């Protein structure tokens, strides 16, 4: 695992990156409505243009290839030093397509950006694991940063923003991913603390280090790193349709589910037994899992990354994305995936390379962040997810993307420098 993934490793400060674009207002794509997907992250309505199985992969054709998400939503990426936004319709007719960020959000507050998620009002929340010095102490972060939609709308190129809210809770050790539940509570996975923390909407309005989470959840059996200090414990989190919380426990290659009723009855610091524990089927079905996401029918998708020994090379690359059917999620066991996406070569690069965060859009396509060099994001259309195998996704990769360390992804409003989209429709 790369050094940015765990608080026990030394991290140098990240270099800020900005692209040069004309300042002032620009054209805006305004979604007609938006809603929460099954996995409780914001995604916009308006169908993705499905990837055709021809015209994709290593050969692109300007009259055949359209990227997933091309109709309206923007892809937002937690990129270590900053946050990147991509308008997936830009330059899609080039052959091969070349993508530069529509907006690059830098901030002097950022240390090690790991996750991004939008709330129901269109405000961006950034999960920052913090930068560590050579002695393991934090020199910035860890924290949650909120940028309001109004704040984002005023950004000019180069974009350097100041968070509207900073929650540098003393409970944080190395937060990495986050998800909103149906009540608007924000849940954050903290691999450094081996815990999941919950913040109520009122707490999300309070800045400072004195913000104590409403709930700090630990598990019995414990969240743990299992295979050595350079693996992590709690990483991807997602809510199913019943409000049950699912957690990817990376180090011991298990998935834990905590039912909504037990979470609703808990407060303060608690240790709960998971209602369901899913384990590897012996064929790397769950192997150092990182990202979790539910599709619209309640099937659970998992990105399996790989295992790095402390300061060693990769020992066991996995590089798959798997689907567990809804019916297999109700009992403890080692289910067999219904679909397995494996890595293939797209324009000379692996399509899955240490896959981490993942997110669905409303039409059933998925974006997966690849955190190993060459960094990129793979975009699979819903048709591809039905068949699995070594299918070539549409890939965002290369120097033009400005990827340095992509970890978390979500879909959100399309914002250009000096302008932002408007919002309407059903929230939650």
């Amino acid at each position: 695992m790369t050094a940015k993934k765990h608080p026990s490793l030394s991290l140098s400060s990240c270099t800020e990156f900005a692209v040069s674009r004309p300042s002032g207002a620009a054209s805006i794509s305004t979604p007609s409505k938006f809603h929460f997907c099954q996995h409780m992250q914001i995604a916009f309505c308006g169908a993705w243009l499905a990837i055709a199985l021809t015209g994709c992969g290593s050969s692109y054709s300007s009259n055949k290839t359209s990227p997933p998400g091309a109709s309206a939503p923007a892809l937002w990426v937690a990129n270590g030093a900053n946050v990147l936004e991509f308008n997936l319709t830009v330059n899609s007719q080039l052959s091969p397509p070349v993508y530069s960020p529509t907006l690059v959000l830098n901030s002097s507050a950022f240390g090690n950006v790991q996750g991004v998620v939008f709330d129901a009002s269109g405000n961006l929340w950034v999960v920052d694991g913090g930068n560590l010095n050579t002695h393991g102490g934090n020199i910035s972060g860890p924290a949650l940063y909120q940028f309001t939609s109004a704040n984002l709308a005023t950004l000019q190129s180069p974009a350097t923003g100041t968070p509207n809210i900073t929650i540098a809770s003393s409970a944080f050790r190395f937060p990495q991913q986050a998800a909103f539940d149906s009540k608007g509570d924000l849940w954050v996975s903290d691999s450094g603390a081996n815990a999941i923390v919950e913040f109520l909407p009122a707490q999300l309005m309070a800045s400072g280090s004195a913000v104590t989470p409403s709930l700090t959840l630990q598990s019995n059996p414990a969240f743990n790193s299992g295979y050595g200090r350079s693996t992590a414990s709690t990483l991807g989190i997602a809510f199913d349709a019943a409000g049950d919380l699912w957690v990817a426990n990376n180090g011991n290659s298990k998935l834990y589910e905590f039912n909504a009723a037990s979470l609703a009855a808990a407060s303060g610091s608690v240790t709960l037994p998971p209602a369901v524990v899913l384990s590897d089927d012996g064929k790397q079905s769950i192997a150092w899992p990182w990202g979790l996401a539910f599709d619209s029918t309640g099937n659970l998708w998992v990105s399996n990354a790989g295992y790095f020994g402390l300061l060693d090379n990769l020992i066991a690359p996995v590089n798959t994305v798997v689907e567990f059917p809804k019916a297999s999620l109700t009992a403890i066991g080692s289910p067999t995936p219904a679909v397995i996406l494996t890595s293939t070569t797209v324009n000379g690069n692996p399509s899955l390379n240490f896959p981490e965060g993942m997110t669905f859009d409303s039409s059933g396509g998925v974006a997966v962040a690849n955190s190993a060099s060459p960094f990129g994001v793979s975009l699979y259309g819903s048709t591809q997810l039905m068949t699995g195998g070594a299918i070539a996704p549409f890939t965002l990769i290369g120097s033009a993307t400005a990827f340095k360390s992509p970890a978390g992804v979500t879909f959100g409003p399309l914002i250009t420098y000096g302008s932002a989209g408007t919002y309407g429709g059903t929230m939650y």
Side-chain angles (χ1 to χ4, degrees):
M1 188 171 289
T2 53
K4 72 184 178 69
K5 302 304 170 201
H6 196 274
S8 65
L9 299 181
S10 299
L11 297 172
S12 59
S13 60
C14 296
T15 302
E16 293 188 347
F17 184 93
V19 296
S20 176
R21 294 173 58 93
S23 61
S27 59
I28 307 166
S29 173
T30 305
S32 59
K33 66 177 183 174
F34 73 106
H35 66 283
F36 267 76
C37 284
Q38 206 71 37
H39 64 298
M40 297 301 173
Q41 291 183 327
I42 287 289
F44 278 74
C45 293
W48 271 16
L49 300 181
I51 301 179
L53 295 184
T54 58
C56 289
S58 59
S59 177
Y60 291 90
S61 170
S62 61
N63 63 353
K64 291 182 179 180
T65 302
S66 294
S71 59
L75 176 69
W76 293 76
V77 182
N79 190 45
N82 49 27
V83 175
L84 307 178
E85 178 210 13
F86 293 87
N87 176 356
L88 297 180
T89 63
V90 175
N91 294 335
S92 62
Q93 297 306 306
L94 298 180
S95 181
V98 175
Y99 285 92
S100 298
T102 305
L103 184 146
V104 178
L105 174 60
N106 293 296
S107 177
S108 60
F110 291 162
N112 196 346
V113 176
Q114 294 288 299
V116 283
V117 63
F118 283 89
D119 64 25
S121 297
N123 304 312
L124 173 67
W125 289 87
V126 177
V127 184
D128 196 313
N131 260 343
L132 309 180
N133 62 27
T134 56
H135 302 290
N138 285 88
I139 56 178
S140 66
L144 289 175
Y145 299 117
Q146 184 225 52
F147 296 84
T148 65
S149 56
N151 184 344
L152 294 174
T154 64
L155 293 176
Q156 301 294 326
S157 176
T160 299
T162 300
N164 295 89
I165 293 174
T166 297
I167 300 177
S169 175
S170 59
F172 288 149
R173 294 296 178 269
F174 196 73
Q176 293 195 253
Q177 296 292 291
F180 280 97
D181 66 18
S182 60
K183 299 176 294 183
D185 302 345
L186 182 60
W187 297 72
V188 181
S189 65
D190 193 315
S191 65
N194 291 333
I196 307 293
V197 296
E198 174 198 20
F199 295 94
L200 305 180
Q203 294 176 305
L204 295 177
M205 296 300 101
S207 285
S209 60
V211 181
T212 301
S214 172
L215 177 67
T216 298
L217 172 66
Q218 294 183 313
S219 175
N220 182 19
F223 298 129
N224 60 75
S225 45
Y227 294 105
R229 288 183 295 164
S230 62
T231 52
S233 58
T234 54
L235 289 176
I237 56 176
F239 288 93
D240 62 22
D244 302 330
L245 173 66
W246 288 80
V247 180
N249 195 30
N250 175 267
N252 67 2
S253 293
K254 296 182 187 297
L255 307 180
Y256 293 171
E257 182 243 60
F258 300 88
N259 64 56
S262 65
L263 296 176
S267 62
S269 296
V270 297
T271 299
L272 297 176
V276 174
V277 177
L278 300 184
S279 305
D280 177 41
D281 66 356
K283 300 177 182 179
Q284 295 189 321
S285 61
I286 303 175
W288 306 284
W290 216 104
L292 299 180
F294 282 92
D295 64 24
S296 61
T297 58
N299 304 315
L300 178 61
W301 292 77
V302 183
S303 63
N304 289 311
Y307 169 59
F308 281 86
L310 183 63
L311 303 180
D312 291 329
N313 294 322
L314 181 65
I315 295 173
V318 181
N319 296 331
T320 61
V321 173
V322 302
E323 177 217 347
F324 294 105
K326 181 179 180 180
S328 68
L329 304 178
T330 59
I332 295 173
S334 302
T336 298
V339 175
I340 302 175
L341 298 174
T342 58
S343 185
T344 188
T345 300
V346 179
N347 287 337
N349 298 303
S351 58
L352 292 172
N353 197 13
F354 210 84
E356 295 194 351
M358 56 192 300
T359 185
F360 274 92
D361 117 303
S362 58
S363 72
V366 69
V368 183
N370 291 302
S371 69
S373 180
F375 308 112
V377 173
S378 292
L379 299 151
Y380 292 88
S382 57
T383 302
Q384 293 180 309
L385 299 183
M386 287 192 259
T387 55
I391 294 176
F394 193 95
T395 56
L396 298 177
I397 201 167
S399 60
T401 63
F403 286 137
K404 300 294 184 183
S405 191
V409 289
T410 193
F411 285 93
L414 176 59
I415 297 174
T416 57
Y417 289 114
S419 303
T422 58
Y423 308 92
T426 302
M427 298 182 183
Y428 294 123

